[in-house]
Amino acid sequence: KNLWLRREKTIGRKAQEALLTFGLESCLSKEQILELYLNVIEFGPDVYGIDAAAHHYFRKFPSGLTPDEAFYLAGLLPAPRKALPPNARGLAKAQRLMKGLARSGYISEAFALNDEELNNDADTADWH
């Protein structure tokens, strides 16, 4: 919807979104739709797409992100301009989210590092 529709919030737009959704789901896989989404969404002021976000916040390619860094970026949505910076406090919030999802069975426990591992692995000096 962000690629093809205006940003207005109206009933007409909702109808357009529904038609667009049916059309996209008929010709693209869920993975392709997710890829499109991740390449156009805003992750911060003038930071659009997962590649730009990974470079902006962590100076990495998306494939090099650690689970806590990936969860940090996911946690920026839907309000990236209000998010905590990727410092120890911001990553601790991502860590709490990962632990909660692991306890609920939504993700593997292997993704939820303990706080000591987070603090040992996190070198925040290079983040901006």
Side-chain angles (χ1 to χ4, degrees):
K1 66 185 182 185
N2 292 339
L3 283 175
W4 297 290
L5 303 177
R6 294 189 189 133
R7 301 212 182 260
E8 65 201 16
K9 296 185 181 198
T10 65
I11 293 175
R13 175 175 165 142
K14 289 295 177 190
Q16 289 175 322
E17 287 176 18
L19 291 173
L20 187 57
T21 299
F22 290 125
L24 285 174
E25 288 182 346
S26 71
C27 64
L28 297 174
S29 69
K30 296 283 186 190
E31 290 81 13
Q32 290 170 315
I33 293 170
L34 179 61
E35 182 180 351
L36 279 171
Y37 175 72
L38 289 174
N39 283 310
V40 299
I41 57 172
E42 180 182 17
F43 283 95
D46 298 318
V47 181
Y48 293 91
I50 189 69
D51 190 60
H55 282 92
H56 177 78
Y57 292 106
F58 301 108
R59 296 184 183 157
K60 295 180 176 183
F61 289 101
S63 61
L65 293 172
T66 63
D68 56 314
E69 291 167 343
F71 268 80
Y72 170 81
L73 292 177
L76 292 175
L77 308 173
R81 294 175 186 247
K82 297 178 183 178
L84 293 171
N87 56 22
R89 187 170 167 225
L91 287 176
K93 181 179 177 185
Q95 188 59 228
R96 288 189 300 275
L97 173 62
M98 287 192 308
K99 285 181 179 181
L101 290 172
R103 277 192 300 274
S104 300
Y106 289 107
I107 64 169
S108 166
E109 287 282 343
F111 285 115
L113 305 171
N114 65 42
D115 293 332
E116 184 177 309
E117 288 173 308
L118 176 64
N119 291 331
N120 289 339
D121 290 343
D123 177 9
T124 60
D126 290 337
W127 297 340
H128 47 211

